[in-house]
Amino acid sequence: MGDMEVSNRQDTKAELLRSAERLIAEKGLGSVSVKMITTDAGARNPSAVHYHFGSIEALIEEVFAKRYREIEAERAIRLERITEADPQARLVALVEAAIGPFLEACLEDNGRVYARFCFQFVSDPRFDYAKLISNAGAQTFVRLSHEIIACLPDIPVERLAPRMRHSFVISMVQAVSFAHAVEAGTAPQVEVAVREAASCLAAYLSAPA
C-alpha cells in the first residue's frame, strides 16, 4: 500500500470523525444517519463508515474516546496539584479537577461541539458511557472516583454509586450550559464557572442519605 493511499485513508477517517461529532452535536443522535455523515465528510465510498469503523456505533464511540483522552491528560495534571486535606474542601477540589477540563474546552469552538456531542451521547441508551470511559484508558477518572468516595465515608455505597453516575450526566448539562453562555457572551470567568459547577456537584454527592 502506497504512502498516498494510507494518507487518504487516514484523512477520510479523520473527516468521518469530525463530521459525526459536529452533526450529532447539532442535530442529535436520532437524526443523524450514516449517509449524512459520509456525505458531509466528502467520502467517495458510501460504505466508508463501515469500512473504517465497522458500524456507526463504533464511530460514535471513537469520537467520544478521542477527545476524552485529552481531557484525561489534563485531569491528571490537576489531580497532582490538589493539596486540600479537609474532606469537604478536598471533595470540591476533586470535582473541579474532574469537570474543569470539560468547561475550559468550551472556550473553543471544538470544545463546545464536543460538549454538545457528549450530552447527546450520554443520554442514548445504546451506549454504556461508564464502560466506554473505562475503555478510553481513564485511569485518572478512576483515581478521582476513588478519592471522591473516600471524602464521603458517611454515604452508603449503594447510594453513592448512582450519584456518581448521575453526576457525570449533570456535568455534561453544566458544560453545555456554559458553552451556550460563551457563545452568547454572558459566560462568567471560566474559573468561576468551574467552581460553581463543582460546588453544586459536591453538594449533590454529599447530601445526607
Side-chain angles (χ1 to χ4, degrees), residues 120-131:
Q120 295 289 334
F121 179 82
V122 299
S123 59
D124 191 295
R126 291 178 294 172
F127 301 97
D128 181 347
Y129 63 84
K131 180 179 178 181

Side-chain angles (χ1 to χ4, degrees), residues 41 64 80 88 97 113 115-117 153 178 189 208:
F64 173 80
E80 294 305 319
Q88 189 60 34
V113 169
R116 292 182 175 115
F117 166 84
F178 183 66
Q189 291 293 318

Side-chain angles (χ1 to χ4, degrees), residues 9 13 25 42 47 77 101 109 142-143 147 154 173 176 179 182 186 188 198 200 205:
R9 287 177 58 185
K13 187 173 183 178
S47 301
I77 295 170
D109 288 343
V142 172
R143 181 181 165 190
E147 294 211 24
D154 296 330
V173 176
V176 170
V182 169
T186 60
C200 290
L205 288 167

